[in-house]
Amino acid sequence: MADNINKLTAAIHRNLQITLNNKLKDFSIGSGQHDFFYVISLHEGITQKELSEWLYIGKSTTAKAVKNLVAHGYIRKEKDERDKRYDRLYLTDEGRQNSARIHETFKGIVEITTKHLSQSEIEQTIDVLRTILNNVLAENKEINADQ
Amino acid sequence: MADNINKLTAAIHRNLQITLNNKLKDFSIGSGQHDFFYVISLHEGITQKELSEWLYIGKSTTAKAVKNLVAHGYIRKEKDERDKRYDRLYLTDEGRQNSARIHETFKGIVEITTKHLSQSEIEQTIDVLRTILNNVLAENKEINADQ
DNA sequence: TCTGATTAGTTTCAAGTGCAACTAATTAGA
DNA sequence: TCTAATTAGTTGCACTTGAAACTAATCAGA
């Protein structure tokens, strides 16, 4: 078997998590929560549903990540007044203090991954990956309409 | 934030795992072990170290996956006679009976991911992903020489 | 208006994963 | 040859994740 896209995306994902954990070892939240924090810091007021959709991750995982971020004092939840089913998410002061550090780290991750690649290679790859993701999501939707 | 390669590979990986789990729901081993079984079926006699390197996955995860596959009767271990540190892995009869099914499923996964893509797009993407993976591995090696 | 369906978020359970510390086997160097 | 270092594999721990069943709030249709 030669390399294929599935194996490579899996390997990249796993090993990038390791990179991220190393770079943010002293930051007192677990590896999965960095992404959530990052997105919230870019889109304050986002709901958990939107966060799940943005990251293409299950809502139960989002609920737990958010719970942890709140417990660590980095973000806070606020009930939407017009529809009390929604929780809107905002950075706390402590979250805001750590925000720049996270942004730098994420920028560094992008630089690491794109080393030795031209801008057009990167753009084309992003396009193809987006197509692949849509293919996979369509396949999963076919099987199960929910979640 | 626009989509980036890290987010896309993570999303593809997570959602492909869901696809695979759905397709192999009735197969009595967990999601992570399908990949291991597949590689072993293609390379009988492979060691756990080689398996870890092939999948770019940690050796402790490999040890547990192999343990489960053995417990379920799909594969067997055999000590290398020349160097007893190595365990060599082989399919059992039951493993061999299920092998074709797994191969078909993996082929189906490739077909799903590559829908709407030309052969050259796929090949170029694989090249880029390989470069990215090497970038990430090099970065991690810099931090930690072992594992 | 009221009842049933839908929706956002939570919780429990089972499973995969990495890290660190471990054992057993082998190799390298004094 | 013998001791220290290396190497393959294992185990315990912490953490992430998805599925399924749940609650609370809202919406849609009779």
Side-chain angles (χ1 to χ4, degrees):
Chain A
M1 175 180 82
D3 282 352
N4 62 45
I5 289 171
N6 323 321
K7 173 182 160 183
L8 288 167
T9 53
I12 291 168
H13 172 58
R14 278 192 297 263
N15 286 282
L16 262 184
Q17 283 301 112
I18 294 173
T19 313
L20 199 55
N21 283 337
N22 277 320
K23 292 203 178 297
L24 294 173
K25 201 175 284 185
D26 55 312
F27 198 56
S28 69
I29 53 169
S31 67
Q33 288 145 61
H34 300 133
D35 291 306
F36 294 96
F37 180 85
Y38 183 61
V39 177
I40 295 167
S41 75
L42 291 169
H43 302 282
E44 292 204 50
I46 196 173
T47 65
Q48 291 186 202
K49 178 184 167 50
E50 289 164 339
L51 199 45
S52 296
E53 285 168 351
W54 184 266
L55 291 169
Y56 303 97
I57 209 165
K59 60 182 183 174
S60 71
T61 302
T62 301
K64 287 160 213 161
V66 166
K67 194 179 178 183
N68 264 312
L69 286 169
V70 170
H72 281 89
Y74 293 117
I75 68 167
R76 65 187 165 80
K77 290 164 123 177
E78 208 171 286
K79 277 258 175 285
D80 186 312
E81 272 311 307
R82 310 171 63 107
D83 189 334
K84 294 199 178 58
R85 287 174 300 183
Y86 291 89
D87 287 328
R88 300 210 166 267
L89 309 173
Y90 301 91
L91 295 193
T92 59
D93 287 341
E94 189 176 352
R96 204 158 279 116
Q97 277 168 28
N98 290 284
S99 173
R101 165 84 187 287
I102 300 283
H103 283 234
E104 273 165 38
T105 306
F106 273 71
K107 201 176 153 206
I109 293 283
V110 171
E111 278 161 16
I112 290 165
T113 52
T114 57
K115 209 177 283 182
H116 309 124
L117 294 172
S118 70
Q119 195 58 37
S120 77
E121 281 175 314
I122 294 166
E123 281 164 18
Q124 283 165 29
T125 300
I126 286 175
D127 280 346
V128 171
L129 291 178
R130 218 180 261 130
T131 300
I132 292 170
L133 177 57
N134 287 332
N135 287 340
V136 176
L137 294 175
E139 171 70 21
N140 288 352
K141 195 177 237 175
E142 224 171 76
I143 304 170
N144 184 1
D146 199 69
Q147 175 82 254
Chain B
M1 175 180 80
D3 283 353
N4 63 44
I5 288 171
N6 322 322
K7 173 182 162 183
L8 288 167
T9 52
I12 290 169
H13 172 59
R14 278 193 297 262
N15 285 282
L16 262 183
Q17 283 301 111
I18 294 173
T19 312
L20 200 55
N21 283 338
N22 277 319
K23 292 204 177 297
L24 294 173
K25 201 176 283 187
D26 55 311
F27 199 57
S28 69
I29 54 170
S31 68
Q33 286 145 63
H34 301 132
D35 290 306
F36 294 96
F37 180 85
Y38 183 62
V39 177
I40 295 166
S41 75
L42 291 170
H43 303 281
E44 291 203 49
I46 196 173
T47 65
Q48 292 186 201
K49 178 184 168 51
E50 290 164 338
L51 199 45
S52 296
E53 286 168 350
W54 185 266
L55 292 169
Y56 303 96
I57 209 166
K59 62 181 182 174
S60 70
T61 302
T62 300
K64 287 160 207 164
V66 166
K67 194 178 178 184
N68 263 313
L69 287 168
V70 170
H72 281 89
Y74 293 117
I75 68 167
R76 65 187 165 79
K77 290 163 123 178
E78 208 170 285
K79 278 257 175 285
D80 186 310
E81 272 311 308
R82 310 172 62 108
D83 189 334
K84 293 199 179 58
R85 288 174 299 183
Y86 292 88
D87 287 327
R88 300 210 167 266
L89 308 173
Y90 301 91
L91 295 193
T92 59
D93 287 343
E94 188 175 353
R96 204 157 278 115
Q97 278 167 27
N98 290 283
S99 173
R101 164 84 187 287
I102 299 283
H103 283 234
E104 274 166 37
T105 306
F106 272 72
K107 202 177 153 205
I109 292 283
V110 172
E111 278 162 16
I112 289 165
T113 51
T114 55
K115 210 177 282 180
H116 310 123
L117 295 171
S118 71
Q119 194 57 38
S120 77
E121 281 176 314
I122 294 167
E123 281 164 17
Q124 283 166 28
T125 299
I126 286 174
D127 280 346
V128 171
L129 291 179
R130 217 180 262 129
T131 300
I132 292 171
L133 177 57
N134 286 333
N135 288 340
V136 176
L137 294 174
E139 170 71 21
N140 288 352
K141 196 177 236 174
E142 225 170 77
I143 304 170
N144 184 359
D146 198 72
Q147 174 85 254

